[in-house]
């Protein structure tokens, strides 16, 4: 991915930089934090995603002549600020929860330590990536946990913006999905891709048998045949007639699934196609997947619900200035104090407290005044798993988190983290965060 | 925007092409259609958006060496199909509802006439753009209609994927929003941009007064000051002290808005700042905007709810093969017939029937067998407004619909169409489609 990411930005960030450069506050050492005040209603945990994409976008957050010319022509900022933007690159430090990590209300997901102007400019790009990708990963994780080990493929590209689709496929993969239909997600992030045929392929042909034969001729009998274009029972019979009992799988995309799946399994077995698998793909979400747990389904395909966060298409994360140095060089904790949106100011560190069975029991947030007086906890305390890791140090991105390798790493980390959560985390019904967040 | 769009595609489209090339059906003249089976629950009309973006993506739907090398390495299709893809460009015809148009269940929003392989490959890109952008535009239109002429700015970039944010700003603008915070939407699509400062700018300074002074020094007294970082009443007093009574506007981002807005208006007037406007931006949606209709608000800023479609983040459009030629050269209407997802096959044309007051009364869908026997209606009938226009003819895009000019055109068309809808369309409460769809 190439090109500048600098205009994926809300205008007010640049006008703030403009004013801060004029009055000498632009360089004030500052600490910003991204966090969620709460989980989506009824959810018991959230899953951080977007971090690897964010790091690449920060690397590309440079104003080239094209961006500068537009900003100058529109008079968004003063000419001296244009010069400053021309030299901009992020030179500060970013710590964050690892991608794939679980999070809870108040978890300090990302801390950005830099001069005010440098840090404030990342607000939109940080929130766009974390909010969108975490929304998908949080929904995907719930689907994976109720699928009981049966693989799920993401196939919702058509239900979201074409670029968001690529990121969504990646986020779902991090949260445990097995594959995606999205080819660009395969190319860019190394997510395994899948997909065989739509109803249009059957309708193109003069008969279902001809369509099945054409597909098998190129894809082999191991392919998945879509058997519900006309009549499901006839479709299954035709599929086995054409492919033989070695047919890889049949896909069902409509109907009352628990009933239909059981009937198709019985029919396949009766026809001798005992090894032929059944995949279902009809408007599934975590609730319908759970409802199919007793049915002989072998795999699932999920579209709309996963790419739209199953009811919560944005994770609700915010980006706040939590501390900055004063003229006297001392750190000052800051927070908006009016009305309904109170934040906790100050530098934070975080650890998850585990009990003797390595089960998570508490999200501990350690408060301090700023990077100078960094709040620490005993790194040798094995009951505390540290949650913040360095992602960018003095402007240099930790490259382990980038690209396909970073995506795989996030997926592995996520799987390990899910093992730690108390079993109540995986209940589908509405509830509170499964562990409390405690400020120390 | 440059670069190939060809991998924003579900794998099954390429595997269908692969199989159709092998069995000789790839060139079968086909007609695909994009439509919505229903409106989101309770909505009375939908708004088509994404068309202008789609046309640009179709122009860029070419497989360059980079895409071909990846597809070959992954063995997604056979080597002979790689050669076919290398030469691929869309050479068919696309007709569609104009961007900004209202739509109803079954409205034939887009018809794609091409060889099967050419047409099937556009399925994902068509649906991604139409579903995502129409979701935003449909929500935005409702907000505009209840804002009673007060301008609304879109500021939800942080609540959606960074690229989706640009498209969302454009879609909201088409549906009547006045501006966006998103700079890339300003550059790429000519949407007016806005934004001044966040709470972090006030917190950066040692006092609210210093922050306000810094902002006014660069932006002038016509700027908008955010007055709710600490105490709103004090914030208003400080704002007028620093800026004088010529202050452009104050922004309120928290609190019980109807009460707070009335108090701020009273305070501003008492301080002599009678021309200072009030803008509110706190988690608004169409319902809270409607609830503020009696309050002295001058403008709104809307974030999460508009970019996520206010409860319906995907518009539910599908892409179906509706007709194709048989071996005998005759057109055959086709449609999936099993279970719960029945479609109406065949070529369609559409017109909106208007009464003597130019009010929309019926969505008329004319059925036929295919392009050869195109279903027509009397173009001289002034009670029927034709809905399908040529967007791509023999592969050539109508360039009027592209870029910033196309976006403006869509916005103008949308405004005209809203004038035609019956007033019941603008009721917020749940209801049915405001006009019936009739098949002829």
């Amino acid at each position: 991915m190439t090109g500048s990411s600098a205009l994926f930005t809300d205008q007010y960030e640049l006008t703030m930089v403009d004013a801060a450069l004029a009055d000498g506050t632009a360089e004030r050492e500052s600490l910003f934090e991204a966090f969620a005040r709460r989980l989506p209603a009824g959810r018991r945990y959230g899953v951080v995603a977007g971090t690897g994409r964010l790091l690449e976008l920060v690397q590309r957050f440079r104003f080239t002549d094209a961006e500068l010319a537009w900003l100058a022509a529109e008079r968004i900022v003063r000419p001296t600020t244009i010069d400053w933007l021309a030299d901009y690159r992020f030179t500060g430090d970013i710590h964050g929860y690892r991608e794939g990590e679980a999070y809870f209300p108040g978890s300090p997901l990302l801390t950005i330590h830099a001069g005010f102007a440098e840090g404030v400019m990342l607000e939109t790009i940080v929130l766009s990536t974390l909010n969108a990708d975490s929304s998908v990963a949080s929904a995907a994780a719930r689907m994976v946990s109720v699928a009981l080990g049966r693989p799920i493929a993401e196939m919702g590209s058509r239900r979201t913006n074409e670029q968001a689709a690529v990121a969504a496929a990646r986020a779902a993969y991090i949260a445990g999905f097995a594959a995606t239909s999205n080819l660009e997600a395969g190319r860019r992030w190394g997510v395994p891709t899948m997909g065989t045929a739509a109803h249009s392929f059957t309708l193109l042909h003069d008969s279902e048998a001809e369509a099945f034969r054409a597909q098998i001729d190129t894809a082999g009998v191991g392919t998945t045949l879509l058997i519900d274009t006309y009549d499901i029972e006839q479709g299954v019979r035709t599929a086995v007639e054409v492919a033989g009992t070695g047919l890889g799988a049949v896909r069902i995309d409509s109907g009352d699934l628990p009933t239909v799946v059981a009937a198709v399994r019985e029919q396949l077995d009766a026809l001798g196609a005992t090894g032929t698998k059944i995949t279902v793909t009809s408007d599934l979400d975590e609730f319908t997947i759970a409802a199919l747990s007793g049915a002989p389904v072998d795999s699932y395909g999920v579209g709309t619900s996963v790419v739209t966060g199953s009811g919560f298409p944005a994770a609700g994360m915010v980006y706040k200035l939590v501390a900055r140095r004063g003229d006297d060089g001392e750190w000052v904790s800051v927070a908006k104090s009016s009305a309904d949106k109170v934040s906790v100011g100050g530098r934070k560190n975080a650890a998850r407290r585990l009990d003797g069975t390595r089960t998570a029991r508490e999200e501990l947030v350690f408060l301090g005044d700023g990077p100078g007086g960094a709040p620490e906890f005993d790194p040798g305390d094995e009951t505390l798993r540290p949650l913040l890791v360095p992602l960018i140090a003095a402007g240099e991105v930790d490259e382990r988190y980038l690209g396909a390798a970073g995506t795989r790493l996030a997926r592995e980390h996520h799987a390990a983290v899910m093992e730690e959560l108390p079993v109540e985390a995986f209940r589908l019904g509405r509830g509170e965060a499964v562990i409390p967040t405690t400020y120390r």
Side-chain angles (χ1 to χ4, degrees), chain A residues 119-255:
Chain A
V120 79
M121 290 220 292
L122 300 184
E123 177 171 331
T124 305
I125 202 85
V126 163
L127 292 178
S128 290
T129 48
L130 292 187
N131 271 323
D133 296 16
S134 301
S135 156
V136 173
S138 298
R142 280 160 61 88
M143 297 173 193
V144 169
S145 71
V146 296
L148 307 174
R150 295 167 179 170
I152 314 180
E154 182 281 317
M155 30 191 283
S157 294
R158 59 195 51 205
R159 304 296 182 209
T160 187
N161 173 280
E162 71 283 357
Q163 299 260 11
V166 182
R170 177 183 179 277
Y173 181 62
I174 286 171
F177 272 44
T180 179
S181 61
N182 187 288
L183 291 171
E184 184 64 18
R187 174 168 68 161
R188 178 129 36 113
W189 302 110
V191 183
T193 62
M194 52 69 66
T196 57
H199 297 111
S200 61
F201 190 74
T202 299
L203 296 169
L204 167 70
H205 287 84
D206 296 330
S207 72
E208 199 171 38
E210 284 178 52
F212 289 172
R213 196 165 296 120
Q215 186 178 328
I216 287 164
D217 282 349
T218 51
V221 294
T223 192
T224 299
L225 294 174
L226 176 60
I227 46 83
D228 70 342
T229 302
Y230 303 112
D231 175 80
I232 290 180
E233 192 185 341
Q234 180 59 52
V236 170
R237 203 176 311 127
T238 305
V240 177
E241 272 168 24
V242 173
T245 53
L247 175 62
V250 296
R251 175 160 80 95
I252 306 170
D253 187 47
S254 55

Side-chain angles (χ1 to χ4, degrees), chain A residues 43-64:
Chain A
R43 294 278 182 87
R44 294 156 191 265
Y45 66 96
V47 176
V48 180
T51 321
R53 295 202 316 108
L54 171 62
L55 296 178
E56 297 193 3
L57 288 163
V58 172
Q59 286 183 322
R60 291 163 42 214
F61 202 98
R62 302 296 293 268
F63 294 84
T64 74

Side-chain angles (χ1 to χ4, degrees), chain A residues 35-39 44-46 97 101-109 352 360 362-363 421-422 425 433-437:
Chain A
F35 63 96
R37 290 198 176 88
R38 61 193 76 86
L39 297 174
R44 294 156 191 265
Y45 66 96
Y97 276 40
E101 185 61 76
Y103 75 88
F104 301 93
S107 296
L109 302 177
R352 193 156 297 150
E362 196 172 18
E363 188 83 340
L421 292 186
V434 71
I435 58 172
T437 302

Side-chain angles (χ1 to χ4, degrees), chain A residues 397-422:
Chain A
V397 168
D398 188 330
E399 303 213 335
R400 286 176 301 173
Y401 301 121
L402 301 180
T407 303
R408 266 197 311 279
L409 202 61
R411 180 175 157 88
E412 289 162 15
H413 184 65
H414 174 76
V417 167
M418 289 296 103
E419 293 290 323
E420 272 178 14
L421 292 186

Side-chain angles (χ1 to χ4, degrees), chain A residues 48 51 94-99 101 108-111 387-392 401:
Chain A
V48 180
T51 321
I94 299 185
H95 289 73
Y97 276 40
R98 284 186 56 183
E99 192 162 16
E101 185 61 76
L109 302 177
L110 213 65
T111 67
L387 292 166
L388 287 164
V389 300
L391 300 171
I392 298 184
Y401 301 121

Side-chain angles (χ1 to χ4, degrees), chain A residues 17 26-27 32 61 84 88-93 112-122 319:
Chain A
V17 167
E27 308 288 321
F32 295 88
F61 202 98
W84 187 88
Y88 176 84
R89 62 180 278 271
F90 182 76
T91 62
D93 299 324
I112 294 87
H113 176 206
F116 176 80
E118 268 196 44
V120 79
M121 290 220 292
L122 300 184
Y319 186 92

